[in-house]
């Protein structure tokens, strides 16, 4: 027995990474929405405020979103070569740029943290579902994506495979979805350690 609270879904590192991307995207979207109104009085007295606000979003929030996107891509099985190609750089440059962020993610247990504590990613996913649904009334020609589904929650391992205990061997598990699937085919904890060792984990 592990002492975990019964009934609480266990999330894979992929789930954690995907929810972290979705949350960072929500923050950027909300900040960008704040640029839309032209009626703020302070903007009449600060003509450079538009540039300042956009640069703040870019420098403080888009950087976080991009790092989380790289980590989520890695958790979903992307190679450094694929990430480099998507980012318009070499595999080596992508690795040099983001490998330290990935290493910090691994060192933190491959889960999201906020204000010094672990994020309840499943609860965050439910809030993101509601936030996303509010913007999908069918009349918005800009927003794309699914309607009538839980946009985040329905894509999580915890929803698709709730019987799998993702926390049980988190430190030993390899980082890619393909390896996770292979691990499930092996089906034992000894197999998990063997597979991790074979992959250099």
């Amino acid at each position: 027995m592990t002492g975990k609270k019964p009934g609480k879904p266990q999330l894979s590192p992929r789930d954690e990474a995907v929810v972290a991307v979705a949350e960072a995207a929500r923050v950027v979207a909300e900040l960008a929405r704040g640029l839309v109104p032209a009626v703020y009085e302070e903007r009449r007295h600060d003509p450079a405020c538009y540039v300042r606000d956009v640069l703040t979003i870019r420098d403080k929030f888009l950087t976080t979103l991009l790092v989380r996107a790289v980590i989520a891509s890695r958790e979903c099985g992307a190679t450094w070569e694929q990430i480099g190609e998507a980012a318009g750089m070499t595999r080596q440059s992508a690795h040099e740029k983001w490998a330290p962020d990935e290493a910090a993610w691994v060192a933190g247990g491959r889960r999201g943290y906020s204000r010094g504590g672990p994020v309840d990613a499943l609860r965050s996913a439910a809030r993101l579902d509601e936030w996303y649904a509010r913007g999908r009334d069918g009349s918005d020609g800009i927003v794309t994506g699914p309607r009538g589904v839980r946009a985040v929650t329905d894509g999580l391992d915890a929803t698709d495979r709730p019987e799998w205990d993702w926390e049980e061997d988190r430190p030993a598990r390899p980082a890619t979805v393909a390896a996770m699937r292979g691990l499930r085919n092996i089906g034992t904890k000894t197999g998990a350690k063997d597979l991790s060792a074979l992959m250099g984990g």
Side-chain angles (χ1 to χ4, degrees), residues 110-172:
R110 293 166 72 201
R111 64 181 308 175
Y113 284 83
S114 178
R115 297 184 181 98
V119 171
D120 185 336
L122 197 59
R123 183 173 294 179
S124 293
R127 286 195 302 265
L128 287 161
D129 290 341
E130 293 173 10
W131 175 83
Y132 184 81
R134 285 196 299 271
R136 289 311 321 259
D137 61 4
S139 63
D140 190 337
I142 297 176
V143 177
T144 60
R147 278 195 296 244
V149 298
R150 297 176 304 172
V152 179
T153 305
D154 282 347
L156 300 181
D157 293 327
T159 306
D160 293 341
R161 291 176 288 281
E163 75 284 353
W164 183 262
D165 189 349
W166 298 99
E167 288 288 343
E168 190 71 24
D169 61 341
R170 177 183 289 271

Side-chain angles (χ1 to χ4, degrees), residues 30-38 40 43 49-50 53-54 57:
E30 292 288 0
L31 290 168
R33 188 195 312 253
L35 297 175
V36 173
Y40 290 147
R43 289 190 176 166
C49 69
Y50 291 102
D53 289 349
V54 170
I57 293 170

